[in-house]
Amino acid sequence: MSEFSQERLESRIAEIISTLIVTGQIKNHNLSTFTSVTEVRLAEDNANATVYVSSLLSDNSLEKSVKALNGAAAFIQSRISKNLRTKNTPHLVFKADRSYREAERINSIIDDVMKEIHD
């Protein structure tokens, strides 16, 4: 599969999962609707996909959401299969993406250093 096609497929999978989360189609009280898909990485053979998710809520809420998504992976895969109509649907594994929080922490440190320099 070409790189462009794989990127398009990753984007489409992220869109489908995001829609399932926001519309509440995944029935799990631990899954926050503030959870968002940040990246999908498909294996070269498209058999597996790692889905990275983040949340503006606490790390505890993010962990609960990741666990809920992994528990609902078969349901999500069936929905992806219906929407994509591809020969095979990748096996999904959800992981927490904390890069947003790390970026905020680094920006805060930079802001503190810049403030000290200007004072």
Side-chain angles (χ1 to χ4, degrees), residues 6-37:
Q6 187 157 2
E7 287 176 7
R8 191 171 54 213
L9 188 56
E10 289 170 340
S11 176
R12 186 68 180 119
I13 290 170
E15 180 184 331
I16 293 166
I17 296 170
S18 295
T19 300
L20 291 173
I21 293 170
V22 170
T23 58
Q25 293 181 52
I26 302 168
K27 305 292 185 203
N28 189 313
H29 68 279
N30 288 320
L31 177 60
S32 168
T33 55
F34 291 106
T35 303
S36 60
V37 176

Side-chain angles (χ1 to χ4, degrees), residues 6-93:
Q6 187 157 2
E7 287 176 7
R8 191 171 54 213
L9 188 56
E10 289 170 340
S11 176
R12 186 68 180 119
I13 290 170
E15 180 184 331
I16 293 166
I17 296 170
S18 295
T19 300
L20 291 173
I21 293 170
V22 170
T23 58
Q25 293 181 52
I26 302 168
K27 305 292 185 203
N28 189 313
H29 68 279
N30 288 320
L31 177 60
S32 168
T33 55
F34 291 106
T35 303
S36 60
V37 176
T38 57
E39 184 178 6
V40 175
R41 290 188 188 162
L42 273 171
E44 285 190 29
D45 63 356
N46 292 343
N48 297 299
T50 303
V51 181
Y52 294 92
V53 295
S54 68
S55 175
L56 296 176
L57 302 177
S58 69
D59 280 343
N60 186 38
S61 175
L62 177 59
E63 288 303 321
K64 285 181 179 180
S65 291
V66 169
K67 189 173 183 178
L69 288 167
N70 279 313
F75 168 76
I76 296 167
Q77 286 169 218
S78 71
R79 291 301 176 113
I80 290 171
S81 175
K82 288 177 185 175
N83 282 283
L84 291 182
R85 296 184 188 101
T86 56
K87 184 177 179 181
N88 298 315
T89 304
H91 172 74
L92 303 174
V93 175

Side-chain angles (χ1 to χ4, degrees), residues 96-109:
D97 180 0
R98 292 185 180 81
S99 61
Y100 174 76
R101 291 190 193 279
E102 188 62 20
E104 279 187 339
R105 188 183 71 78
I106 290 170
N107 282 336
S108 176
I109 292 169

